[in-house]
Amino acid sequence: MQSRQAAREQAELPPPRQVQVVALGRVEPSSRVIDVAASSSGRIDRLVVQQGDTVETGQVLAYLDTYAVRRAERDLAASQLAEARAQLAAETNLGRSQVQEASSRLGQIDQPQQAAIAAQAAAIQSLQAELNVAEIDLDRFQQLNESGAIARQELDRQRATVNRLQADLANATATRQRLEQARDQDLANAQAQVAATEASASLAQVMSRVDSAAQSLALAESQLALTLIRAPQPGQVLDIFAYPGEAVSLAGEPVLALGDTRQMIVVAEVYETDIGLVQLGQQATITSRNGAFADTLTGTVEDIGLRIAKNDVLDDDPAANADARVVEVRVRVDQSQVVARLTNLQVDVAIDIES
């Protein structure tokens, strides 16, 4: 009777409150493990890193066997570009010299002609002044002749002087016009020569060769870059899959694995039934069931996955569910140095859902 009463009371008690979410997890770098592959097919010629080496972004990790050929092609393209640029500089200097020479000839033609035109204009001005005086004298001589003060012969001489000056002025004016027309024609011819010199000094063809050489160099540098395997991010070489002499291809295996082990995380595979209890910022403890490290590590939930998938980390218990549906939860480890060399280690994770 008492046992039935105790059982009834026990059944009426509320179920125990869950305070932790436990899960299996794996250790990996916070940057994830990057499988570094070759950008072109070939064979590994030289590896310049070893497992465990620390590398920086862009650092060369390995050379393919086509590197020497591509480097020679790049050097040839660089020399062709340098030659084209030197030719462009020479053509530019020659063109400038020719244009300057043509412009100098233009000045040599123009200056004497301007001087001749100016002298002719001065002569016209002098003749015009003489003619003005002679015409005034002619009027006075006509008046004097009418009054009988001078002889007819004096009047005729003055009229002849006026006629001569008018003829000289007309000739001088015509000469100036011829000089101006000749100057205009000579200037037009000289300017045409300058324009022709500038046109003949056109650098379009040479510049086209420079552009073509620059494009060839860019192509050669791109092809050379394909023969180098570089680090896409800073980190540590975790494993090497291909060694000198082994073939690599775009569709083949990666050359090496790289991860930034300065900060490690644990990817905990939380059952879909428990994921609603997990929140960002919750504290977690991490232990190793196989003794890979002795102390209990701590961490913080920093990311909760958005996709439910089949579990990747399998329990060593044969009765465990090998086809569970889980969500990956990333836990930032506080003691990264302890597990920095233990990528993919299986661990037990307990997330404190009350923290």
Side-chain angles (χ1 to χ4, degrees):
M1 184 65 178
Q2 290 180 350
S3 61
R4 286 199 301 272
Q5 180 66 26
R8 189 181 303 110
E9 292 176 355
Q10 184 67 29
E12 292 175 354
L13 291 175
R17 185 164 53 88
Q18 184 176 359
V19 296
Q20 286 185 331
V21 168
V22 295
L24 288 177
R26 65 181 183 276
V27 177
E28 65 178 38
S30 62
S31 62
R32 304 181 189 274
V33 176
I34 305 298
D35 287 335
V36 182
S39 299
S40 63
S41 300
R43 293 184 180 276
I44 299 293
D45 180 64
R46 180 160 44 106
L47 278 172
V48 293
V49 293
Q50 297 178 349
Q51 185 174 348
D53 286 353
T54 299
V55 298
E56 298 298 329
T57 302
Q59 181 175 333
V60 176
L61 307 176
Y63 295 85
L64 298 184
D65 58 349
T66 53
Y67 172 75
V69 174
R70 296 304 185 190
R71 184 177 62 182
E73 293 175 349
R74 191 276 313 272
D75 292 344
L76 175 61
S79 66
Q80 290 174 340
L81 176 59
E83 180 181 350
R85 285 175 173 169
Q87 183 180 2
L88 175 61
E91 293 288 344
T92 301
N93 292 333
L94 177 61
R96 288 174 180 171
S97 299
Q98 291 175 339
V99 171
Q100 288 175 355
E101 182 180 356
S103 299
S104 177
R105 287 199 300 269
L106 176 61
Q108 292 172 357
I109 291 173
D110 189 36
Q111 290 176 0
Q113 290 182 333
Q114 281 185 335
I117 292 172
Q120 193 64 26
I124 291 173
Q125 186 176 5
S126 177
L127 286 172
Q128 183 66 57
E130 290 182 22
L131 178 60
N132 292 338
V133 173
E135 289 176 341
I136 293 173
D137 289 342
L138 178 60
D139 291 340
R140 188 175 71 253
F141 277 25
Q142 286 177 342
Q143 293 175 2
L144 292 174
N145 178 259
E146 290 174 357
S147 63
I150 60 173
R152 178 75 181 183
Q153 185 178 4
E154 293 291 334
L155 177 61
D156 291 340
R157 279 200 296 269
Q158 187 60 33
R159 183 175 288 113
T161 300
V162 169
N163 291 337
R164 177 180 59 77
L165 289 173
Q166 288 176 339
D168 290 346
L169 180 60
N171 289 332
T173 301
T175 300
R176 185 182 67 177
Q177 290 176 348
R178 288 196 300 272
L179 290 174
E180 290 176 342
Q181 291 174 354
R183 174 178 176 270
D184 292 342
Q185 184 63 39
D186 290 343
L187 283 178
N189 292 336
Q191 289 171 348
Q193 291 179 354
V194 172
T197 302
E198 290 177 342
S200 65
S202 174
L203 304 177
Q205 184 176 1
V206 181
M207 292 179 66
S208 175
R209 288 198 294 270
V210 172
D211 291 340
S212 177
Q215 293 174 1
S216 296
L217 177 59
L219 176 61
E221 288 178 338
S222 298
Q223 291 176 335
L224 176 62
L226 294 178
T227 66
L228 299 173
I229 301 175
R230 296 181 180 273
Q233 65 176 35
Q236 186 177 40
V237 178
L238 303 178
D239 202 355
I240 296 177
F241 308 118
Y243 290 87
E246 295 183 344
V248 294
S249 65
L250 296 178
E253 293 294 326
V255 175
L256 53 82
L258 181 68
D260 189 354
T261 57
R262 292 174 297 182
Q263 177 60 59
M264 303 296 287
I265 59 123
V266 169
V267 180
E269 296 184 343
V270 177
Y271 291 132
E272 61 180 343
T273 54
D274 294 334
I275 193 62
L277 302 174
V278 180
Q279 298 180 9
L280 297 178
Q282 290 176 339
Q283 300 301 304
T285 56
I286 303 144
T287 57
S288 172
R289 64 174 57 184
N290 55 17
F293 55 88
D295 297 334
T296 298
L297 307 184
T298 59
T300 305
V301 175
E302 69 171 12
D303 182 67
I304 300 174
L306 303 176
R307 187 170 60 94
I308 298 175
K310 181 182 176 182
N311 59 324
D312 288 331
V313 183
L314 300 180
D315 200 314
D316 52 12
D317 182 358
N321 186 358
D323 195 22
R325 293 172 60 79
V326 297
V327 177
E328 290 189 344
V329 174
R330 292 166 61 89
V331 177
R332 183 183 181 90
V333 180
D334 296 331
Q335 301 84 9
S336 290
Q337 70 281 3
V338 176
V339 291
R341 301 180 66 87
L342 299 175
T343 296
N344 288 333
L345 174 69
Q346 179 178 314
V347 293
D348 292 314
V349 182
I351 301 173
D352 183 1
I353 61 176
E354 292 188 335
S355 59

